[in-house]
Amino acid sequence: MPLYARRRRRNRIAEALSLLATLVGLGSLVLILAVLLWEGFGGLSIAVFTQMTPPPGSAGGLLNPIVGSLILTGLAVLIGTPLGILAGTYMAEYGRYERLTTVIRFINDILLSAPSIVVGLFVYEIMVAPMGHFSALAGAVALAVIVVPVVVRTTEDMLVLVPNELREAAASMGTPRSVTITRIAYRAAGAGMLTGILLAIARISGETAPLLFTSLNNQFWSLDLNAPMASLPMVIFQFALSPYADWQKLAWTGALIITLAVLALSIVARTIAASRRSS
């Protein structure tokens, strides 16, 4: 067989295998989304957003875990985002060519791929065990540890993409380096940095493993940061494993709510990134 014919045959085989893998992946995703919509959409109602989690056999909603998830996520972002931005700024602006930056980047990449349950165990040892009880604050810290490496990576990448000519122009006018970073570099990289923060929120919004060891769960309404607090991932985990049909239905509804929230965040992040590229 001629060499050209063999190459064409190999190319067609590779294309067929690639197409098959794509169809399998997309088919699995469509199947998961279809089952989620089928099981969860029927449970959506006003009561889901206005009533507390019920005991078995009673009507109720997901108000307390929804509010708890918003509190935990908000606190995690407030704790993790400034740390991530400052670390990413150092790596991109002050220590770009230093050996310490290489070490930090290596550790950050490890944290990016670390199992979230390891983060939960770490926070359990440094916070929950010394305090003697689970708390929402410990859960927020665990989620913040997951937020930090995502924000560090996106902040560094976006600041590195800012043209050095902008920094040189600011320096030629006597602008302090800190002002150059905050007024010029941050403005130029702002859309990408915001995208990283949104992706970090989407990453932690469905995390269950860290909360198992930190904030645990709470069947009742609680805004006390020093006590266990309900969250959607934990309620889904508990209700999905229960033998009660009404709890399982609420678990499907909660899973749908988280999926739609993550989808909305992903769309916003991609829209911001696309607007940045077009500008």
Side-chain angles (χ1 to χ4, degrees):
M1 181 181 294
L3 178 61
Y4 179 69
R6 290 200 303 270
R7 289 178 174 175
R8 290 190 60 185
R9 186 181 64 180
R10 292 173 183 172
N11 182 64
R12 289 173 181 173
I13 293 174
E15 287 182 351
L17 292 176
S18 300
L19 179 61
L20 178 62
T22 302
L23 292 176
V24 170
L26 290 177
S28 302
L29 178 61
V30 170
L31 181 61
I32 292 172
L33 291 177
V35 173
L36 183 60
L37 288 172
W38 178 265
E39 297 285 352
F41 192 76
L44 283 177
S45 64
I46 299 297
V48 172
F49 302 96
T50 58
Q51 297 184 15
M52 311 287 287
T53 49
S58 302
L62 297 171
L63 175 61
N64 49 325
I66 290 175
V67 173
S69 287
L70 292 175
I71 292 174
L72 292 174
T73 302
L75 284 175
V77 172
L78 287 176
I79 296 171
T81 299
L83 294 175
I85 290 178
L86 290 174
T89 300
Y90 170 80
M91 294 166 66
E93 298 291 338
Y94 292 100
R96 185 180 299 188
Y97 304 108
E98 294 184 6
R99 183 173 300 177
L100 177 61
T101 298
T102 303
V103 175
I104 295 174
R105 188 180 296 114
F106 176 72
I107 296 174
N108 190 73
D109 291 341
I110 293 176
L111 286 176
L112 272 174
S113 57
S116 58
I117 193 170
V118 176
V119 175
L121 286 170
F122 169 73
V123 177
Y124 177 86
E125 286 294 327
I126 66 171
M127 290 191 67
V128 177
M131 294 169 63
H133 59 83
F134 299 98
S135 67
L137 184 60
V141 170
L143 296 179
V145 174
I146 299 175
V147 168
V148 169
V150 179
V151 178
V152 169
R153 169 58 74 181
T154 54
T155 300
E156 182 194 9
D157 290 345
M158 292 302 105
L159 289 176
V160 167
L161 292 177
V162 175
N164 283 328
E165 288 78 8
L166 295 178
R167 300 181 180 89
E168 294 169 357
S172 66
M173 295 185 294
T175 306
R177 192 169 188 179
S178 60
V179 177
T180 301
I181 294 172
T182 55
R183 297 292 182 86
I184 297 176
Y186 279 176
R187 287 189 179 183
M193 294 167 62
L194 180 58
T195 300
I197 296 172
L198 293 176
L199 292 177
I201 295 174
R203 163 81 187 277
I204 65 174
S205 60
E207 287 289 351
T208 305
L211 303 182
L212 279 170
F213 299 94
T214 52
S215 64
L216 199 61
N217 198 6
N218 195 334
Q219 192 73 19
F220 307 101
W221 176 267
S222 175
L223 299 179
D224 186 3
L225 298 180
N226 198 35
M229 181 176 289
S231 61
L232 268 178
M234 284 299 302
V235 169
I236 293 170
F237 174 75
Q238 178 186 354
F239 282 15
L241 294 179
S242 72
Y244 309 111
D246 51 344
W247 276 19
Q248 293 173 2
K249 186 175 182 180
L250 279 176
W252 280 110
T253 304
L256 179 62
I257 292 173
I258 288 182
T259 303
L260 294 178
V262 172
L263 177 63
L265 287 172
S266 300
I267 292 174
V268 172
R270 288 181 177 274
T271 302
I272 293 175
S275 65
R276 180 184 179 278
R277 286 194 295 267
S278 62
S279 61

